[in-house]
């Protein structure tokens, strides 16, 4: 089984600033996918960004980017120009070759006006 | 948005009663999952399905059963609800078709069901 660890239960950032959320994982697999999901107060789970393990290039989606370090098994999320709407719980997730998703415990991010 | 709906959205039930939650998809995705979300635990897998009548246990399956008689429906049953099963339950679907492709790798989630067992 895989494990996903998010060591920051809560974080805050000033509006327009940049924040980085950390995620580490443990696996013996070589091919897998990694994701960041956002869960606002509405409870809906929203995909923020995905990364394929076989791609060395870090994924980016507008203000969101990742720092994927395969050897270190690290997958951090950087949010640039933080906006009030970014306030949410963020989950790191791992998809293995058995089509199982594993989630971290989440980081609650608050953007301060 | 992916076509996935959960019912009911909210439910309060008494200890010892059976409860069934329904997940319905219109995407024809192969994989369906039931998770529970609790503070400090993130999302934990209860059961999942990889096809009609093909299901398997997740890490917190005790006290839960599932059934999938049609591609579009995945039912989660609490045979005799306990207070420890008070939680938010999410259904998810995935159409991942194998390695080497990003097609449908992500999980699409329902809106969640808040279940309270009193």
């Amino acid at each position: 089984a895989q494990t996903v660890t998010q060591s920051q239960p809560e974080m805050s950032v000033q509006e327009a600033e940049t924040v980085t959320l950390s995620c580490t994982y443990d696996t013996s697999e070589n091919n897998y996918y990694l994701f960041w999901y956002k869960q606002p107060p509405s409870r809906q789970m929203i995909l923020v960004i995905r990364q394929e393990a076989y791609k060395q290039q870090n994924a980016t989606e507008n203000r969101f980017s990742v720092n994927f370090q395969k050897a270190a098994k690290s997958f951090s999320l950087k949010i640039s120009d933080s906006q009030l709407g970014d306030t949410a719980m963020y989950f790191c997730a791992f998809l293995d070759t058995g089509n199982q998703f594993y989630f971290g415990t989440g980081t609650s991010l608050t953007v301060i006006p | 948005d992916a076509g996935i709906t959960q019912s009911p959205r909210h439910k309060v039930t008494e200890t010892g009663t059976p409860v069934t939650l329904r997940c319905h998809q219109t995407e024809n995705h192969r994989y369906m999952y039931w998770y529970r979300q609790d503070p400090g635990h993130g999302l934990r897998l209860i059961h999942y399905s990889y096809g009609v009548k093909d299901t398997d246990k997740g890490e917190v399956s005790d006290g839960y059963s599932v059934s999938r008689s049609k591609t579009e429906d995945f039912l989660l049953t609490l045979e005799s609800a306990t207070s420890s099963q008070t939680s938010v339950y999410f259904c998810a679907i995935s159409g991942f078709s194998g390695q080497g492709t990003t097609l449908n790798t992500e999980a699409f989630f329902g809106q969640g069901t808040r279940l309270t067992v009193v």
Side-chain angles (χ1 to χ4, degrees):
Chain A
Q2 337 298 332
T3 59
V4 179
T5 302
Q6 293 179 249
S7 58
Q8 305 154 314
E10 296 181 353
M11 294 191 71
S12 61
V13 62
Q14 291 291 138
E15 193 174 8
E17 296 296 308
T18 296
V19 64
T20 298
L21 309 183
S22 300
C23 173
T24 59
Y25 57 93
D26 189 26
T27 183
S28 58
E29 297 187 358
N30 192 47
N31 293 320
Y32 47 86
Y33 297 84
L34 295 162
F35 308 85
W36 279 98
Y37 280 88
K38 168 185 177 181
Q39 186 182 43
S42 67
R43 206 167 68 195
Q44 183 65 45
M45 294 286 285
I46 302 165
L47 178 68
V48 174
I49 199 165
R50 93 184 83 203
Q51 174 78 44
E52 298 88 348
Y54 58 87
K55 288 188 178 179
Q56 293 185 338
Q57 185 175 4
N58 290 322
T60 62
E61 288 287 344
N62 301 314
R63 297 183 295 108
F64 300 87
S65 61
V66 298
N67 183 4
F68 173 50
Q69 301 291 327
K70 190 173 183 179
K73 297 179 182 176
S74 172
F75 183 60
S76 60
L77 175 69
K78 185 171 80 171
I79 306 174
S80 304
D81 185 26
S82 296
Q83 300 175 359
L84 297 178
D86 296 332
T87 292
M89 182 73 80
Y90 287 81
F91 291 99
C92 178
F94 177 104
L95 173 64
D96 70 8
T97 54
N99 290 91
Q100 290 293 309
F101 289 87
Y102 299 86
F103 291 85
T105 52
T107 296
S108 178
L109 176 68
T110 301
V111 179
I112 302 167
Chain B
D1 290 344
I4 175 171
T5 56
Q6 292 182 230
S7 59
R9 295 290 309 279
H10 303 271
K11 186 171 182 66
V12 179
T13 192
E14 293 186 350
T15 298
T17 60
V19 177
T20 296
L21 308 183
R22 181 184 184 231
C23 179
H24 179 77
Q25 64 148 327
T26 58
E27 304 296 320
N28 200 34
H29 280 349
R30 178 183 177 188
Y31 295 92
M32 299 186 76
Y33 310 84
W34 277 107
Y35 292 91
R36 60 178 289 174
Q37 182 180 11
D38 304 288
H41 292 278
L43 281 83
R44 293 181 292 173
L45 182 65
I46 305 171
H47 283 279
Y48 69 100
S49 172
Y50 46 95
V52 174
K53 298 186 178 179
D54 292 324
T55 65
D56 207 347
K57 297 179 179 180
E59 65 173 301
V60 290
S61 60
D62 288 348
Y64 302 94
S65 62
V66 291
S67 66
R68 191 171 180 195
S69 58
K70 298 183 291 185
T71 299
E72 56 265 36
D73 289 326
F74 192 33
L75 304 180
L76 176 70
T77 297
L78 290 66
E79 301 292 345
S80 178
T82 67
S83 58
S84 65
Q85 293 175 312
T86 292
S87 186
V88 177
Y89 291 84
F90 282 96
C91 177
I93 62 175
S94 170
F96 185 49
S97 55
Q99 295 297 313
T101 174
T102 59
L103 189 65
N104 292 330
T105 52
E106 69 190 89
F108 298 93
F109 287 84
Q111 317 96 307
T113 296
R114 181 173 294 281
L115 176 67
T116 303
V117 183
V118 298

